[in-house]
Amino acid sequence: MAKAFAYYPGCSLHATAREYDVSTRAVFSALGMDVKEIEGWVCCGASSAHSTDHLLALVLPAHELQAASEMERPVLVPCAMCYSRLKLTLLELERPGKKEEVGKALGKPLGKMPAVLHPMEALREEEIPVKRPLGGLKVACYYGCLLARPQGVVPGEDLENPQGMDRIMARLGAQPVPWPFKNECCGASMFLAKKDLLLRLSRRIVFQAQEAGAEALVVGCPMCHFNLDLAQRGTEHPLPVLYLTQAVGLALGLPPSDLMLKRHFISPLPVLKGKGIWPG
Amino acid sequence: MKSLVIIPSPDFRRELETESGERVSSCIQCGKCSGSCPVFAIMDLGPRRLMRAVQLGLREEALGSNTLWLCLFCMTCSSRCPMKIDVARVIETLRHRAIKEGVRPADREIALFHRLFLAEIEALGRAYELGLGGAYGLLTLRPWTNLREFGAMLRRGKVPFIPERAAGSGPLFEKARKAGG
């Protein structure tokens, strides 16, 4: 039977990161997997809920987990922030008494919780029929904080040197470069409150990727993408930032409308055209 | 010279250890957390000294520290702690505590951002960047700070004008408040 997922896009994928939403759906459908959006989903609370209120930070994700469990499907979560909130909620619910406490707050006992997967995890295991190899494009795979930490959240990945995206990119014909800033923080949701800090952290990451010889960055988080992309506006030799699913879609030979590569601040087109892998 | 005498008071530490489920007392002050912290440069205490403050029961110093607010929850400290203390969780517990006790946040901009974000989610169910950016700009009396960035986002269709809504969030907030007391 084909794999089927309950899909939790999260707020970013309906706004700043629409290209991540569109390319994720296109890639999963091209690979014959069924992705069905959770109806009436609400925000996971992001950093603001867990920053301020322990119970609220569990109630919001638990509500989505419960909806997915009613669909009897594992949850696919492309946003690394939502992914982390859902995964950490699963772990928290295993602590003594927590499941009852959250179920009581929700007014509905929590049943068996579904598995939660990021596209990186789903694609790691998948056969990808490459139609348009990525021509040795040198990529720096950036995992940020939430696809690397904490221990036990992303199964099978090393905390200090994760490899999941690197392996997928190598299978697509790209050349992942080894580099030291795979899991350094980009500044997260500090755009409004601490922009200078965010720009400094993000530019450090871009600089290290360039030092390692990368021609593009590959990410699996809309917040990382926004920060790394925005931080390079107006700089002289910017590195385009691709979503993992955009890179997979390119290799699958999907049309430009499924990839939406023109929405980034830093256009990836010159680099892709240079490698002869631009589909337009 | 003025001498400083600190008399450790174990109550505060014990409370935090119970609330967070982490053994702060086993911190050996090696400093890996502060050395790994991406925001350490602009923190008053940083994670290591914050942990020390908790060990010594320095309640005001701990709850009034900007470290609680500047922490980005990247969890690097937690993943590198040789004593396996989830430092980020301790910091988070301190922040929850500071909010509950009405301690004035050491970083008002970040506290305001979180408050506005949650108010928006409660009302709409989903994040709405334009509304959040606008409200934040007005309340900090700097509405023009991010105009260029928002302009660039609008030109690329990255931020919708009209907010998306999901009705389920208001009742969830209500439930969490009721259960949390």
Side-chain angles (χ1 to χ4, degrees):
Chain A
M1 209 182 83
K3 283 186 192 162
F5 294 100
Y7 183 58
Y8 181 66
C11 308
S12 297
L13 272 77
H14 276 207
T16 49
R18 210 147 50 82
E19 62 273 29
Y20 193 18
D21 179 49
V22 169
S23 58
T24 300
R25 289 168 189 274
V27 161
F28 277 73
S29 129
L31 293 173
M33 293 185 265
D34 181 29
V35 167
K36 189 165 182 268
E37 190 161 323
I38 298 172
E39 262 176 62
W41 58 266
V42 299
C43 173
C44 70
S47 34
S48 295
H50 80 82
S51 287
T52 49
D53 187 328
H54 181 66
L55 188 60
L56 182 66
L58 296 174
V59 161
L60 294 172
H63 176 258
E64 313 316 316
L65 290 167
Q66 199 171 33
S69 87
E70 281 162 18
M71 292 165 75
E72 294 181 355
R73 293 174 172 207
V75 202
L76 181 69
V77 192
C79 169
M81 172 60 102
C82 305
Y83 171 78
S84 175
R85 289 329 312 162
L86 264 59
K87 282 300 267 285
L88 288 172
T89 300
L90 285 180
L91 289 178
E92 194 71 24
L93 291 176
E94 282 171 17
R95 292 189 183 226
K98 281 287 170 190
K99 212 167 174 179
E100 292 72 27
E101 185 190 343
V102 176
K104 211 174 140 200
L106 277 168
K108 209 174 176 187
L110 292 173
K112 192 176 176 298
M113 289 286 108
V116 173
L117 285 106
H118 184 271
M120 174 178 82
E121 288 175 277
L123 294 170
R124 253 181 348 193
E125 324 295 335
E126 208 59 36
E127 193 75 41
I128 301 172
V130 176
K131 289 210 182 82
R132 191 193 296 129
L134 298 186
L137 179 72
K138 287 189 184 160
V139 293
C141 294
Y142 175 66
Y143 298 76
C145 307
L146 304 173
L147 284 181
R149 286 181 290 268
Q151 185 84 52
V153 160
V154 197
E157 295 293 341
D158 187 86
L159 281 177
E160 299 287 352
N161 189 11
Q163 293 291 337
M165 287 202 277
D166 291 70
R167 293 211 180 99
I168 295 169
M169 292 308 295
R171 278 159 53 203
L172 306 179
Q175 197 184 324
V177 298
W179 67 305
F181 269 47
K182 278 181 169 180
N183 55 0
E184 285 289 323
C185 183
C186 69
S189 57
M190 286 296 134
F191 172 66
L192 287 174
K194 290 279 176 283
K195 188 162 70 179
D196 292 344
L197 169 72
L198 180 147
L199 294 177
R200 205 165 63 236
L201 293 177
S202 281
R203 284 179 186 147
R204 241 167 34 131
I205 293 163
V206 173
F207 175 76
Q208 290 290 340
Q210 280 167 328
E211 284 288 289
E215 298 163 292
L217 279 150
V218 175
V219 302
C221 172
M223 205 160 49
C224 301
H225 187 285
F226 181 80
N227 293 345
L228 295 175
D229 198 24
L230 181 93
Q232 298 186 75
R233 283 180 75 232
T235 58
E236 236 175 82
H237 301 289
L239 270 190
V241 192
L242 298 173
Y243 283 109
L244 173 66
T245 47
Q246 286 179 315
V248 175
L250 269 173
L252 284 171
L254 298 182
S257 59
D258 282 345
L259 306 173
M260 300 178 89
L261 286 157
K262 291 182 178 170
R263 271 170 57 90
H264 305 327
F265 291 127
I266 306 304
S267 172
L269 269 54
V271 171
L272 297 179
K273 280 178 182 164
K275 293 275 167 189
I277 45 177
W278 166 242
Chain B
M1 206 180 93
K2 200 177 136 198
S3 68
L4 179 68
V5 181
I6 296 171
I7 303 161
S9 91
D11 292 352
F12 184 58
R13 171 179 58 78
R14 284 199 198 116
E15 285 162 28
L16 265 182
E17 290 193 328
T18 313
E19 266 171 59
S20 66
E22 297 297 318
R23 280 192 52 158
V24 181
S25 48
S26 62
C27 168
I28 54 170
Q29 292 286 295
C30 72
K32 259 194 181 183
C33 46
S34 291
S36 303
C37 179
V39 204
F40 180 66
I42 56 171
M43 284 172 166
D44 48 12
L45 295 180
R48 181 187 65 84
R49 286 206 280 167
L50 184 62
M51 297 293 277
R52 192 69 177 138
V54 175
Q55 285 181 333
L56 294 174
L58 300 174
R59 188 193 190 87
E60 278 80 54
E61 283 80 353
L63 294 180
S65 165
N66 74 1
T67 305
L68 321 184
W69 297 92
L70 287 169
C71 168
L72 295 166
F73 209 72
C74 74
M75 298 175 284
T76 313
C77 50
S78 306
S79 74
R80 291 182 181 164
C81 175
M83 300 309 287
K84 303 226 170 356
I85 303 168
D86 189 342
V87 183
R89 192 182 172 93
V90 176
I91 296 177
E92 190 172 277
T93 309
L94 281 165
R95 197 191 309 118
H96 293 163
R97 194 60 187 268
I99 294 170
K100 221 176 227 165
E101 294 185 13
V103 178
R104 198 178 124 122
D107 192 300
R108 292 165 78 185
E109 290 168 335
I110 295 175
L112 174 68
F113 167 76
H114 290 316
R115 246 196 345 266
L116 289 176
F117 185 90
L118 287 177
E120 189 177 270
I121 298 303
E122 181 169 4
L124 299 173
R126 292 178 190 173
Y128 173 48
E129 284 88 354
L130 270 189
L132 185 60
Y136 183 86
L138 287 175
L139 286 170
T140 49
L141 306 177
R142 289 196 306 270
W144 53 83
T145 318
N146 298 311
L147 275 188
R148 263 199 311 191
E149 283 88 348
F150 274 101
M153 284 184 240
L154 280 169
R155 278 200 298 283
R156 279 175 182 72
K158 274 181 174 292
V159 280
F161 266 112
I162 300 168
E164 260 192 43
R165 282 166 177 274
S169 64
L172 288 174
F173 274 74
E174 206 46 58
K175 283 174 182 169
R177 253 196 299 269
K178 228 169 95 189

